[in-house]
Amino acid sequence: MSIINIPRLDLHDYTQGSVDQRHRFSQDIGKAFNETGFVTIANHGMDKALIDKLYKTVQAFFSLPETTKRKYEIPGLAGQRGYTSKGKEKAKDAKVPDLKEFWQRGQDENPAVEELPSFDEVTGEVYRRLETAGRELLKAIAVYLGLEENYFEEKVIQGNSILRAIHYFPIEDPDSLPEDAVRAGAHEDINLITLLIGASADGLEVLTRNGSWYPVKAQGEDIVVNVGDMLQRLTNNKLKSTTHRVVNPPSELMKTSRFSVPFFLHPKADMNLAALDSCIDAEHPKAYADVTAGEYLDERLREIGLKM
């Protein structure tokens, strides 16, 4: 198995640490994002009680009858708010949809789940805490890139960030699935960075530079953080948006659910994703056309089947 640099970093080293600790954190996260695009983060602002409450609430929602969940599927929003039913999203260029259903909430205009009064409160609290952690991580990344520490702040405050609760639903007859049907096909995230709360089961794998798949596991209450395509474009491939997937478990475990809650940190739609001048040189010519975050998001939502 390949050796891969997915370090475990303590966010307190950056938010509460000495000058040396802050510098080391910034360099460590930058080095990992330059090499593999993934880190695990401790002391991110959420305790075990809140995480347990989140998963309990999420499981309660996905246990509701199909007709009830579909009340919260909002046509025309490309899944950006409320419920998205089975068979809708696929990885780019995949022939079959992922084996999942999900709920997404944003900054505002989120539908309230009548059947679960605590749902909006709990997901809202998690959203706010992960957004705060994500902004701190972007400060460290900005420092690594030689930018002013608050470079990303005005671009992400009240941005288009999304908290997604995912249910990889049970498959009673795994043998009936298409050969290439998986829980989440190989893909890269769209956004700047993704903060993932440890899932209820294994399955997340990252593609290494030599083409092998490496399982990613967080310790205890740690979160996994990875680079998205928007940050890769902005840095002209200096920071890597690494391909990852969620594989199916052994056949006998396909009859069980897997739950996962990633937070996709998106900027405002008008953020310019043109490559930073400092990331362009003779050895690294400009790799991407200029585009805004909103334009890029629209393009990608069409590619994954959420927008027509």
Side-chain angles (χ1 to χ4, degrees):
M1 183 176 289
S2 301
I3 300 299
I4 186 169
N5 177 28
I6 304 181
R8 181 176 188 256
L9 304 178
D10 187 334
L11 187 54
H12 280 176
D13 286 350
Y14 192 78
T15 59
Q16 303 175 22
S18 64
V19 171
D20 286 346
Q21 286 175 308
R22 287 167 59 82
H23 175 76
R24 186 164 58 250
F25 182 97
S26 179
Q27 292 304 304
D28 286 346
I29 196 171
K31 183 173 186 289
F33 282 172
N34 179 263
E35 294 177 358
T36 63
F38 275 79
V39 297
T40 61
I41 298 290
N43 287 318
H44 40 72
M46 290 198 308
D47 56 25
K48 185 176 186 301
L50 179 58
I51 294 172
D52 289 347
K53 182 188 267 188
L54 171 68
Y55 273 100
K56 183 177 180 181
T57 305
V58 164
Q59 291 175 28
F61 173 77
F62 288 114
S63 296
L64 293 172
E66 198 74 22
T67 52
T68 302
K69 289 183 289 188
R70 284 183 179 271
K71 289 195 312 184
Y72 301 104
E73 193 156 23
I74 308 169
L77 287 188
Q80 298 307 288
R81 296 291 188 279
Y83 176 66
T84 297
S85 54
K86 302 170 184 176
K88 293 290 178 68
E89 186 178 70
K90 64 181 184 65
K92 180 183 176 183
D93 299 326
K95 295 182 174 63
V96 297
D98 290 343
L99 302 174
K100 68 187 179 192
E101 57 182 338
F102 56 89
W103 176 282
Q104 293 200 157
R105 74 164 292 138
Q107 298 281 0
D108 48 32
E109 299 182 355
N110 298 290
V113 180
E114 299 170 3
E115 294 79 7
L116 296 170
S118 65
F119 186 84
D120 188 60
E121 176 189 349
V122 173
T123 57
E125 180 65 20
V126 171
Y127 184 104
R128 288 185 289 274
R129 294 199 191 192
L130 288 179
E131 183 178 44
T132 298
R135 285 168 53 192
E136 293 297 335
L137 291 169
L138 285 176
K139 289 178 183 179
I141 291 166
V143 171
Y144 173 77
L145 293 171
L147 303 169
E148 194 270 322
E149 184 186 44
N150 289 324
Y151 174 85
F152 290 100
E153 278 285 271
E154 66 176 6
K155 299 171 176 60
V156 300
I157 293 175
Q158 287 300 307
N160 292 323
S161 295
I162 289 290
L163 183 74
R164 172 184 281 198
I166 308 172
H167 177 214
Y168 301 97
F169 47 83
I171 303 295
E172 293 300 324
D173 182 12
D175 293 337
S176 67
L177 290 173
E179 186 177 342
D180 50 355
V182 293
R183 286 181 158 176
H187 65 283
E188 299 79 44
D189 291 342
I190 300 170
N191 41 288
L192 290 170
I193 57 174
T194 300
L195 292 76
L196 174 67
I197 304 167
S200 65
D202 293 339
L204 177 64
E205 296 184 346
V206 56
L207 186 64
T208 66
R209 287 189 176 182
N210 69 4
S212 61
W213 289 98
Y214 182 91
V216 179
K217 298 180 182 180
Q219 298 181 33
E221 297 150 40
D222 291 357
I223 60 175
V224 176
V225 181
N226 64 273
V227 174
D229 282 353
M230 289 185 183
L231 188 56
Q232 177 173 264
R233 291 181 76 100
L234 184 72
T235 63
N236 201 41
N237 295 326
K238 180 179 178 69
L239 303 185
K240 308 296 184 187
S241 178
T242 304
T243 303
H244 54 286
R245 66 185 184 182
V246 178
V247 297
N248 295 340
S251 181
E252 64 273 14
L253 295 179
M254 284 294 286
K255 296 180 181 181
T256 61
S257 289
R258 180 184 190 268
F259 298 92
S260 178
V261 185
F263 178 81
F264 301 119
L265 201 159
H266 280 267
K268 297 171 184 172
D270 62 0
M271 180 183 176
N272 186 357
L273 297 180
L276 297 166
D277 290 341
S278 59
C279 295
I280 302 171
D281 57 31
E283 292 184 12
H284 306 92
K286 189 174 179 179
Y288 304 103
D290 295 353
V291 67
T292 66
E295 290 167 340
Y296 186 64
L297 175 61
D298 185 76
E299 172 190 328
R300 291 295 305 278
L301 289 175
R302 295 177 193 280
E303 290 174 345
I304 64 176
L306 291 182
K307 195 168 187 177
M308 302 304 290

